[in-house]
Amino acid sequence: MPDSDTSPLRRWGLEGITLLVLALVAFIAAEFAHKFRELIFYVLDHIYGERTSTIEGINNKHNATLVVRGIASFKVVLIIAAVITVSRFISKAATRWRHERLGLETISHAANGEGEGPSVRATLLRSSATLVASFGATSIGRESAILEAGGAIGFFAGRRLRGMAPALAAGGIAAAFATAYHAPIGAVIYTAGHLGMWKNRRSVVYSALGASFSYFISMKYLKGHILFPHTQGSVRNMIILGSIALIPALIGSRLFLEMRERVGKLAMHKTHPRISVVVLIAIAALTVAIAPMSAGNGMEALRAAAITTSIGIALAMSFARMIAVTATLGAKVPGGVFAPSMTVAAGWAMLTFTALHAMGVHLPATWWDGMLVAMAVSVAVSLRTPLLAVVVVAEMIGQMSVLPIFAVAVGIATLINRRIDKYQESRTHQPIHVMHDEDA
């Protein structure tokens, strides 16, 4: 907090300067997110070569699943294995250098005025590890690097302003989130709720301001657009499909979470560390080569799922992506699971619809609407932030009218998930870890 001993005039002056710095931080975060994404696809096109799709409505540009599909599988394996190896090396270097000043938890503490705060240089170094991994269309979320960089830059900018570093760190994270997911309201809920900044009123206010400004910059000047298609059918059809998708999405999201948590605790990491790394890298690379729809962070797969459905796409989005992301994270490559989690849940919903259709059950033709409900459920289960789950997917499709449907589905899923958490705690006698560094 700013010093209480300073005069009102100086306090207002400090606040004004901080707001100007916040605008700069939000602009940098928006530009960083935009350039980060553009650089990934520029390199992807040069490594794999540009590819086109015969399916009408699928964007041929900026599509990791298409470029992977276009070359021999053994080349995909070699490329992904190489980028994971390099990414792992960079990540280990950043961790050895400043492990105590890295990660979302560190930035969360900093935004609440706790701890030493994140290191900008170490954070950017680790972000480059995620960038390198994304160059090969590795199945992992790239947005975690963007969020960590936004928070670290904000904290760094505020260190010379008395007591303002926490608020600017919060503003930087929210600005990065709003640009990455085009969800300014979700950005505030993410920082205040999931990262636990709601007790610091200034951090919440600066989150809202940073998210609003970066969202404006992104949409106005950086070719921002709605991330996913709108709903395709009636409210009634969405309720029917969402009701069917809810439990499969919950199961898939929970299984994905359990896989990620358990792979890091394998005894093989201690007894045979080198072998375990080689095995995990091989699994990650082979999975993407076999199932190209599991490539990238999942955004392209979700857009394709809105247009066309098949058992192959469903299996790639659900099981293949769970395996690929878990193996990549297990190999100590830094990355996020926000978008991959939504893809997994949507894949489980599509699998369910496909199975019911094969059994002769008549379903509404607008399967995408049910997958949207599954995506909201995945956020509630993976991040344990129900309010964010209700809002963020609605913002991603630019359609706030679906909020009541999402709210009911997320409410039911949250109640069930909490029961599972309590059962798990009673068996393990360990508290549930709510926040993870890959929760972005």
Side-chain angles (χ1 to χ4, degrees):
M1 296 292 290
D3 288 349
S4 58
D5 297 335
T6 57
S7 66
L9 183 61
R10 293 191 65 181
R11 287 202 301 271
W12 280 107
L14 177 61
E15 201 78 58
I17 293 171
T18 307
L19 288 172
L20 290 175
V21 174
L22 174 65
L24 178 62
V25 169
F27 175 79
I28 293 172
E31 278 286 349
F32 183 86
H34 177 69
K35 297 299 184 186
F36 198 89
R37 176 177 177 273
E38 291 297 314
L39 181 58
I40 288 171
F41 287 108
Y42 176 82
V43 175
L44 268 178
D45 288 342
H46 281 74
I47 291 178
Y48 288 102
E50 295 186 45
R51 297 291 184 273
T52 58
S53 173
T54 57
I55 301 174
E56 185 178 353
I58 291 183
N59 185 8
N60 292 323
K61 295 183 178 180
H62 294 176
N63 197 316
T65 62
L66 286 181
V67 296
V68 170
R69 193 191 307 269
I71 69 171
S73 296
F74 80 92
K75 292 182 180 179
V76 176
V77 172
L78 292 177
I79 291 170
I80 292 179
V83 297
I84 289 179
T85 301
V86 175
S87 175
R88 172 184 161 82
F89 175 80
I90 296 172
S91 179
K92 287 184 67 176
T95 302
R96 284 196 299 266
W97 182 23
R98 284 286 191 273
H99 69 90
E100 77 285 357
R101 299 185 63 188
L102 287 172
L104 280 177
E105 289 194 71
T106 298
I107 296 174
S108 173
H109 293 318
N112 281 300
E114 303 168 359
E116 191 177 356
S119 165
V120 174
R121 287 179 294 178
T123 298
L124 292 177
L125 180 61
R126 195 166 82 150
S127 294
S128 69
T130 305
L131 183 68
V132 169
S134 300
F135 285 162
T138 306
S139 185
I140 201 168
R142 57 181 175 261
E143 290 77 15
S144 62
I146 295 171
L147 267 61
E148 289 183 23
I153 291 170
F155 183 82
F156 175 78
R159 291 190 68 175
R160 294 185 179 277
L161 300 173
R162 292 182 181 177
M164 292 300 190
L168 286 171
I173 295 174
F177 189 102
T179 304
Y181 298 113
H182 297 175
I185 300 173
V188 179
I189 299 171
Y190 179 83
T191 54
H194 185 62
L195 299 186
M197 301 175 193
W198 60 272
K199 294 180 181 179
N200 189 324
R201 287 180 295 178
R202 178 174 274 103
S203 289
V204 174
V205 171
Y206 274 63
S207 294
L209 294 173
S212 300
F213 186 73
S214 69
Y215 180 73
F216 172 78
I217 292 293
S218 176
M219 301 300 286
K220 187 74 174 178
Y221 301 107
L222 301 179
K223 302 178 181 179
H225 53 81
I226 301 301
L227 293 181
F228 301 122
H230 288 192
T231 56
Q232 300 170 352
S234 65
V235 172
R236 174 180 173 275
N237 286 355
M238 189 174 192
I239 292 173
I240 293 172
L241 291 168
S243 300
I244 296 171
L246 195 155
I247 297 301
L250 173 63
I251 294 172
S253 299
R254 186 79 197 198
L255 179 60
F256 187 30
L257 178 63
E258 294 289 338
M259 286 174 62
R260 299 196 312 268
E261 291 185 340
R262 290 175 185 272
V263 74
K265 301 175 183 178
L266 292 175
M268 188 177 179
H269 289 314
K270 293 183 178 179
T271 57
H272 303 89
R274 293 182 179 178
I275 294 176
S276 69
V277 169
V278 171
V279 169
L280 289 170
I281 291 175
I283 291 173
L286 286 168
T287 304
V288 174
I290 294 169
M293 199 57 79
S294 66
N297 70 341
M299 295 285 193
E300 297 86 5
L302 285 169
R303 294 188 190 101
I307 299 170
T308 182
T309 59
S310 70
I311 187 66
I313 293 175
L315 289 171
M317 289 174 62
S318 54
F319 289 100
R321 185 164 294 276
M322 283 197 299
I323 293 169
V325 174
T326 300
T328 306
L329 292 175
K332 304 304 179 184
V333 172
V337 296
F338 193 92
S341 294
M342 290 192 293
T343 310
V344 167
W348 275 73
M350 190 192 295
L351 272 178
T352 304
F353 299 151
T354 303
L356 291 174
H357 180 72
M359 291 187 288
V361 178
H362 177 71
L363 295 173
T366 54
W367 289 7
W368 172 242
D369 297 355
M371 285 185 270
L372 289 172
V373 175
M375 289 159 63
V377 168
S378 77
V379 177
V381 174
S382 298
L383 274 69
R384 294 185 172 88
T385 312
L387 185 56
L388 174 64
V390 172
V391 173
V392 72
V393 179
E395 286 191 285
M396 286 178 166
I397 64 174
Q399 191 176 351
M400 304 305 282
S401 61
V402 298
L403 286 177
I405 298 174
F406 285 170
V408 174
V410 166
I412 295 171
T414 299
L415 289 175
I416 297 173
N417 195 48
R418 286 176 178 171
R419 290 291 183 91
I420 298 173
D421 283 345
K422 289 182 179 179
Y423 174 74
Q424 185 174 336
E425 286 180 329
S426 68
R427 294 198 63 182
T428 62
H429 304 291
Q430 294 179 352
I432 297 297
H433 194 190
V434 177
M435 190 189 303
H436 305 81
D437 279 337
E438 63 267 21
D439 287 350

